[in-house]
Amino acid sequence: MKQIYILCAAVLWGLIGLFTQFLSIKGIDSGSMVFIRAIGAAIFLSLYFLIFNRKVFRIRLRDIPFFIGTGIVSFVFFNYCYFQCIKMCSLSVAAILLYTAPVFVTILSFILFREKFSAKKGIALIFTLAGCVFVSGILGNHAAVKMAGILFGILSGFFYGLYSILGRYVLQRYSSETVTLYTFIFAAAGAGMIGNPNVVLQIPLHIDLGLLCLGLVIVSTAAPFLLYTKGLSGVPSGVASILATLEPVVATLIGIFFFHETFTWLHFLGICFILAADILLIFPVHAKDTEWHSQNVKNSFTL
């Protein structure tokens, strides 16, 4: 089932804290982390496909705007807005606003792709939003909120969700491997504007930094994006975005077991809500719905 690809991607994304926390302790700023993720994934994927599948590099020039969209407009903008929200508000507030993405994806998918908004999807969406509120800990922390920070947080959710929408378009013409590769090639170009080149150049001189960056690039960037994009080829965008919210559950567990963060009944309740939403969506749809989805993909906008 394609849903499994989405869930595996969410788990790997959830592991990102293992790498970013230690990189932050060692003095790597957030902008440089974004740049490292993008350029590292671009280099890794380029080398891999040069050896095993060069056909992946073939694209048409007129499709470049879509890859600029997935790479710069989605990946780079979402990361920048997310980090700005953390700076102005708090990590809890940023997390809950980032995971408003399924709301944007579900609405845009209904408008652009005529995806059916079923009662099951609506319930899963409500469960997801409730779960994210509880997992973020915002209810217990009473975090101070700034309006500018809220705006950046909402924008981070919007740009994060755009990957599912734009990815759906280009997947009608290209493989998931091609989409992922060019997403990071263009993301690397865009992320160069917010990264610190001097910091990045110091990484090869330190083995521990190099290993952390390697994990960040392969485990929590290249691999999950490949899996998620592959999953998008057979899962409606709205459903994929909701399934991906397994990520904050994994991130919460990482924080508890590796960084000894507090675990409350609200965290537990949030995890239950998100898992319930994922279980609800992972069950196979009826044959009639599957037939509708296949026809819908064929009739979607032509690039």
Side-chain angles (χ1 to χ4, degrees), residues 4-83:
I4 299 300
Y5 288 119
I6 305 291
L7 292 176
C8 288
V11 170
L12 293 178
W13 274 325
L15 296 175
I16 195 172
L18 280 175
F19 308 109
T20 57
Q21 287 280 49
F22 288 117
L23 284 171
S24 181
I25 292 171
K26 292 180 179 296
I28 306 297
D29 63 278
S30 56
S32 296
M33 287 185 206
V34 176
F35 181 60
I36 290 165
R37 289 186 76 191
I39 196 168
I43 292 172
F44 171 79
L45 291 172
S46 295
L47 292 174
Y48 178 84
F49 291 127
L50 273 172
I51 297 171
F52 296 106
N53 188 6
R54 295 187 181 183
K55 292 181 181 178
V56 166
F57 289 90
R58 297 176 185 171
I59 62 169
R60 293 183 299 185
L61 291 178
R62 72 176 189 177
D63 293 328
I64 285 178
F66 290 101
F67 295 114
I68 292 175
T70 57
I72 298 178
V73 178
S74 180
F75 185 84
V76 175
F77 284 9
F78 126 63
N79 276 277
Y80 177 77
C81 291
Y82 182 60
F83 290 132

Side-chain angles (χ1 to χ4, degrees), residues 213-273:
C213 289
L214 195 63
L216 176 65
V217 167
I218 297 176
V219 177
S220 290
T221 306
F225 267 91
L226 277 170
L227 289 167
Y228 186 79
T229 309
K230 191 173 184 65
L232 271 180
S233 64
V235 176
S237 303
V239 174
S241 183
I242 296 173
L243 286 172
T245 53
L246 181 63
E247 178 187 346
V249 176
V250 176
T252 298
L253 295 175
I254 290 294
I256 294 167
F257 291 109
F258 287 89
F259 301 107
H260 309 293
E261 293 180 359
T262 304
F263 184 71
T264 67
W265 67 271
L266 286 174
H267 288 123
F268 177 75
L269 189 60
I271 289 173
C272 289
F273 267 108

Side-chain angles (χ1 to χ4, degrees), residues 66-236:
F66 290 101
F67 295 114
I68 292 175
T70 57
I72 298 178
V73 178
S74 180
F75 185 84
V76 175
F77 284 9
F78 126 63
N79 276 277
Y80 177 77
C81 291
Y82 182 60
F83 290 132
Q84 285 296 106
C85 183
I86 292 174
K87 212 182 291 183
M88 294 183 182
C89 299
S90 69
L91 183 57
S92 297
V93 172
I96 180 59
L97 292 176
L98 173 64
Y99 284 97
T100 56
V103 178
F104 293 113
V105 175
T106 300
I107 293 171
L108 289 173
S109 295
F110 175 75
I111 296 171
L112 298 175
F113 304 123
R114 301 185 298 279
E115 280 188 9
K116 185 179 178 182
F117 191 84
S118 62
K120 184 170 78 168
K121 188 184 291 186
I123 293 171
L125 192 59
I126 293 171
F127 278 13
T128 295
L129 290 175
C132 287
V133 169
F134 293 133
V135 167
S136 72
I138 190 173
L139 294 180
N141 291 338
H142 304 290
V145 176
K146 295 182 180 179
M147 291 307 297
I150 290 177
L151 178 59
F152 274 117
I154 293 173
L155 285 173
S156 73
F158 174 72
F159 289 125
Y160 181 57
L162 271 186
Y163 186 81
S164 295
I165 301 299
L166 295 171
R168 174 79 170 270
Y169 274 112
V170 287
L171 280 169
Q172 294 176 59
R173 286 201 179 276
Y174 301 103
S175 67
S176 58
E177 290 84 358
T178 297
V179 175
T180 306
L181 171 64
Y182 279 98
T183 290
F184 283 110
I185 287 175
F186 284 100
M193 297 184 290
I194 61 174
N196 187 337
N198 294 325
V199 172
V200 176
L201 290 173
Q202 295 299 314
I203 292 172
L205 303 177
H206 304 277
I207 295 176
D208 53 345
L209 282 177
L211 291 174
L212 286 170
C213 289
L214 195 63
L216 176 65
V217 167
I218 297 176
V219 177
S220 290
T221 306
F225 267 91
L226 277 170
L227 289 167
Y228 186 79
T229 309
K230 191 173 184 65
L232 271 180
S233 64
V235 176

